[in-house]
């Protein structure tokens, strides 16, 4: 007979303290409030998300749910359950946003269970310091859409330049640094296909390796190199067309002309 819990639950004080954010964690908590559904867009792909407020150990943490996890939450809410809601979440990410610790689902990995029949959930429901045993959650006040900056900071890990140089695999992260100078040279733009992929000169035409065909018309695109420094190191960063246009409000062709 198995009596030990199969979950490796982490308490909120430990999460807020010194916890390794590279590892996924399990938590069990009361759902104290639910935010409205919002969307963010990246690379022309729109994703839905909701923020729920979790309460345990006398503390509250926000947890952001994306995509299909919004569907799982909505499916439970539509059951009409009106009592106190306990959620068991396996394999959550721990993130930092604006200096505040938050939780977030890991895509295709996190598992959500509402009102699970485990001792830890029953203890939370009967806890005197988290409302009454039958008090339902509340709904958060409406908040504005996330800006591009807030979305990027909320979804990405923060790294120093020194840490960035040790990364072995592709990833999206935030680096806070100062632009020291623009790296000079004549290669601040490149000839591209309409698909934005750089083309290869081939006789009197150009070949696009992405489209796998020859083309006659090319489009100039930005490729500006910046030397960036922070308190740990320095590195060269490359800004491509969309980011350069957001700064200059001029297309690369306009600037060339």
């Amino acid at each position: 007979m198995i009596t030990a819990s199969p979950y490796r639950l982490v308490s909120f004080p430990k999460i807020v303290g010194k916890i390794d954010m590279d590892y996924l964690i399990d938590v069990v908590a009361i759902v104290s409030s639910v935010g409205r559904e919002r969307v963010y867009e990246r690379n022309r792909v729109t994703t839905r998300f909701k923020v729920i407020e979790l309460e345990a150990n006398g503390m509250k943490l926000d947890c952001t749910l994306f995509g299909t996890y919004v569907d799982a939450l909505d499916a439970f809410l539509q059951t009409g359950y009106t009592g106190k809601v306990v959620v068991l979440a396996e394999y959550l990410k721990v993130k930092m946003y604006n200096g505040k610790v938050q939780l977030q689902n890991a895509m295709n990995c996190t598992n959500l269970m509402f009102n699970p029949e485990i001792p830890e959930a029953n203890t939370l429901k009967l806890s005197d310091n988290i409302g009454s045993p039958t008090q339902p959650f509340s709904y958060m006040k409406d908040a504005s859409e996330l800006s591009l900056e807030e979305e990027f900071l909320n979804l990405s890990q923060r790294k120093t330049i020194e840490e960035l140089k040790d990364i072995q695999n592709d990833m999206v992260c935030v680096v806070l640094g100062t632009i020291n100078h623009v790296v000079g040279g004549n290669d601040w733009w490149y000839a591209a296909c309409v698909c934005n992929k750089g083309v290869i000169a081939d006789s009197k035409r150009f070949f696009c390796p992405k489209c796998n065909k020859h083309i006659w018309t090319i489009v100039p695109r930005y490729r500006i190199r910046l030397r960036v420094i922070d308190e740990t190191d320095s590195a060269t960063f490359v800004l491509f067309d969309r980011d350069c246009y957001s700064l200059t409000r001029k297309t690369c062709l306009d600037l060339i002309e």
Side-chain angles (χ1 to χ4, degrees):
M1 181 177 180
I2 300 176
T3 57
S5 173
Y7 309 109
R8 303 181 66 177
L9 301 174
V10 181
S11 68
F12 278 20
K14 186 174 181 180
I15 294 173
V16 175
K18 294 181 179 179
I19 188 169
D20 192 335
M21 296 187 181
D22 290 333
Y23 292 91
L24 303 179
I25 64 171
D26 301 345
V27 302
V28 61
I30 293 288
V31 179
S32 55
S33 61
V34 176
R36 69 180 179 89
E37 183 174 308
R38 291 182 283 170
V39 297
Y40 78 91
E41 183 177 340
R42 173 177 288 172
N43 296 330
R44 298 182 181 179
V45 177
T46 299
T47 303
R48 301 175 299 124
F49 73 95
K50 280 187 179 182
V51 178
I52 60 176
E53 184 182 66
L54 303 180
E55 186 172 356
N57 309 113
M59 303 174 63
K60 293 183 178 181
L61 290 176
D62 286 345
C63 178
T64 306
L65 302 176
F66 295 91
T68 57
Y69 296 97
V70 174
D71 296 331
L73 174 64
D74 288 346
F76 173 78
L77 298 178
Q78 290 167 8
T79 63
Y81 183 81
T82 58
K84 184 181 292 186
V85 179
V86 176
V87 62
L88 169 63
E90 295 182 275
Y91 311 119
L92 287 179
K93 294 179 182 180
V94 181
K95 312 283 286 186
M96 287 293 296
Y97 177 54
N98 285 346
K100 181 181 177 182
V101 176
Q102 296 187 354
L103 302 173
Q104 177 187 312
N105 70 266
M107 199 59 65
N108 301 321
C109 180
T110 298
N111 182 36
L112 299 178
M113 288 175 277
F114 296 98
N115 293 330
E117 290 298 328
I118 60 173
E120 294 86 352
N122 295 330
T123 299
L124 276 175
K125 281 192 174 185
L126 298 175
S127 175
D128 291 331
N129 64 338
I130 308 182
S132 68
T134 58
Q135 179 182 350
F137 56 82
S138 61
Y139 285 90
M140 296 179 184
K141 294 181 180 180
D142 284 351
S144 60
E145 298 283 340
L146 280 183
S147 67
L148 180 63
E149 293 81 5
E150 290 172 327
E151 168 223 323
F152 182 63
L153 291 171
N154 193 32
L155 299 179
S156 308
Q157 296 186 45
R158 298 190 179 189
K159 298 287 186 181
T160 65
I161 293 178
E162 183 180 45
E163 292 172 330
L164 202 63
K165 292 182 176 181
D166 293 331
I167 296 174
Q168 301 297 320
N169 301 313
D170 291 343
M171 67 176 296
V172 177
C173 59
V174 175
V175 177
L176 178 61
T178 301
I179 297 176
N180 192 28
H181 64 273
V182 177
V183 179
N186 296 323
D187 58 345
W188 60 272
W189 66 276
Y190 66 99
C193 175
V194 291
C195 71
N196 291 335
K197 182 71 176 180
V199 297
I200 303 168
D202 184 12
S203 187
K204 295 182 179 181
R205 296 183 296 173
F206 298 92
F207 179 76
C208 175
K210 182 177 180 180
C211 299
N212 194 29
K213 66 180 182 180
H214 286 86
I215 60 173
W216 292 97
T217 304
I218 62 169
V219 181
R221 300 289 187 186
Y222 286 109
R223 183 175 55 200
I224 297 178
R225 294 176 173 84
L226 305 173
R227 196 65 184 174
V228 179
I229 60 174
D230 69 2
E231 68 277 4
T232 65
D233 207 338
S234 64
T236 299
F237 287 69
V238 181
L239 263 61
F240 287 98
D241 207 67
R242 185 180 66 176
D243 296 316
C244 291
Y245 178 79
S246 69
L247 294 174
T248 64
R249 294 301 175 185
K250 292 181 180 294
T251 67
C252 185
L253 179 60
D254 289 338
L255 206 61
I256 291 174
E257 292 178 345

